[in-house]
Amino acid sequence: VYIWDMDETLILLKSLLNGTYAEAFNGLKDVQKGIEIGKRWEDYILQVCDKFFFYEQIEDYNEPFLDALNEYDDGLDLSDYDFSKDCFDDPNKRKLAYRHRIIGEKYSQGLHNFLDQDMIKLWDELYHLTDSYTDGWLSSARAFLEQQNINVLVTSGSLIPSLVKCLLFRLDRLIVYSSWEVGKHQCFSWIKERYLSVRFCVIGDGIEECNAAQAMKWPFIRIDPHPHRFPGLTMKTLNCYQEVVY
């Protein structure tokens, strides 16, 4: 099982917005262009969150993963359910579980099932623009994931925007854990319970996932902060790290 830190490992956004990605190229990249690309992604993420994923209603009620509220879901048919008039509030876990069920369905179906063609076209153009600007970072990450049997994403961001990021950056249908409130070590423990009797490998760019991997006695591969860091990752590198631990 490969456990990936999502932000700034598979998905670039913060480093585009603050210019640090472009600045690492010592003048070879247009910093302002990167910032503008990042802002466009921010706009798309917020639009999809608010319009299709109930984010305005549930922003303050972050859960660590989509199935966390399954015990509160009574299985009610939601095809004619009016989410705008059910007087949703914090103590009502059942109504929050309904929203998570719909979010899970939309996440598994993919963007093409609820975005119109104009939005799909703009999203495709932005994806290819970003991939070109980052020298194939996004497509390299996606291709690398496709070589692995099981990939799980862990993010320090809140769950719903992270799911939307996965959809927009073409990493959909992967299981996502949010360490926003519980920490990455707890997320890793849940993942270990989910996948018994297998090997684990953690890949990321931050100290928290490094420390959590060490606590679990799992190999950790740090994505180097210099240019071309992700497209340079190979299966040979992964196997070498795993052989040391296992």
Side-chain angles (χ1 to χ4, degrees):
V1 175
Y2 291 92
I3 302 171
W4 299 83
D5 174 50
M6 189 176 81
D7 299 294
E8 302 306 311
T9 298
L10 294 173
I11 292 174
L12 295 178
L13 183 56
K14 183 179 179 181
S15 61
L16 293 176
L17 284 166
N18 63 21
T20 55
Y21 175 82
E23 288 167 358
F25 286 81
N26 297 318
L28 297 177
K29 293 281 185 184
D30 184 336
V31 176
Q32 190 57 41
K33 181 178 180 180
I35 293 171
E36 290 170 0
I37 289 173
K39 287 180 178 178
R40 288 178 63 186
W41 278 118
E42 257 194 337
D43 290 342
Y44 283 147
I45 292 165
L46 288 173
Q47 283 180 43
V48 175
C49 280
D50 291 340
K51 188 171 183 179
F52 301 103
F53 284 74
F54 308 109
Y55 194 53
E56 287 186 353
Q57 293 182 351
I58 67 175
E59 181 178 1
D60 295 330
Y61 315 123
N62 184 60
E63 295 293 332
F65 50 92
L66 269 177
D67 299 340
L69 296 170
N70 279 2
E71 64 181 294
Y72 299 101
D73 191 337
D74 58 10
L76 179 72
D77 182 358
L78 301 176
S79 54
D80 295 319
Y81 189 87
D82 191 341
F83 284 95
S84 66
K85 297 181 179 179
D86 69 347
C87 302
F88 171 75
D89 53 35
D90 179 26
N92 199 316
K93 295 287 189 180
R94 177 173 51 84
K95 293 177 182 178
L96 185 57
Y98 289 168
R99 284 158 173 78
H100 275 71
R101 193 205 314 172
I102 296 298
I103 288 168
E105 291 173 359
K106 288 183 176 179
Y107 181 66
S108 64
Q109 292 166 358
L111 290 176
H112 288 84
N113 285 278
F114 55 86
L115 291 187
D116 60 40
Q117 289 304 308
D118 289 339
M119 190 68 176
I120 291 288
K121 184 173 183 293
L122 292 171
W123 162 56
D124 277 338
E125 290 173 352
L126 181 58
Y127 182 91
H128 291 298
L129 173 65
T130 310
D131 201 42
S132 175
Y133 179 78
T134 59
D135 304 312
W137 186 296
L138 303 183
S139 55
S140 295
R142 192 163 180 259
F144 202 88
L145 287 177
E146 290 172 353
Q147 298 178 53
Q148 320 309 326
N149 290 327
I150 304 175
N151 298 287
V152 181
L153 307 188
V154 178
T155 174
S156 56
S158 57
L159 181 65
I160 303 310
S162 297
L163 293 172
V164 171
K165 285 182 186 177
C166 286
L167 289 171
L168 288 170
F169 283 89
R170 302 184 180 180
L171 302 175
D172 46 314
R173 299 180 182 171
L174 296 173
I175 294 172
V176 179
Y177 284 81
S178 167
S179 65
W180 178 272
E181 294 163 333
V182 298
K184 289 187 176 172
H185 186 267
Q186 175 62 72
C187 289
F188 289 4
S189 297
W190 283 328
I191 294 168
K192 185 179 181 181
E193 292 173 4
R194 190 180 191 119
Y195 300 100
L196 299 174
S197 303
V198 299
R199 293 180 175 182
F200 298 89
C201 181
V202 180
I203 305 165
D205 71 319
I207 190 64
E208 186 185 2
E209 56 264 26
C210 177
N211 290 340
Q214 289 178 348
M216 301 294 288
K217 296 182 170 55
W218 294 343
F220 173 75
I221 299 174
R222 182 182 297 280
I223 296 297
D224 192 274
H226 296 294
H228 309 294
R229 49 186 172 167
F230 196 92
L233 187 63
T234 65
M235 281 303 302
K236 182 179 180 180
T237 303
L238 284 184
N239 291 334
C240 286
Y241 273 86
Q242 292 184 77
E243 286 172 4
V244 170
V245 175
Y246 293 113

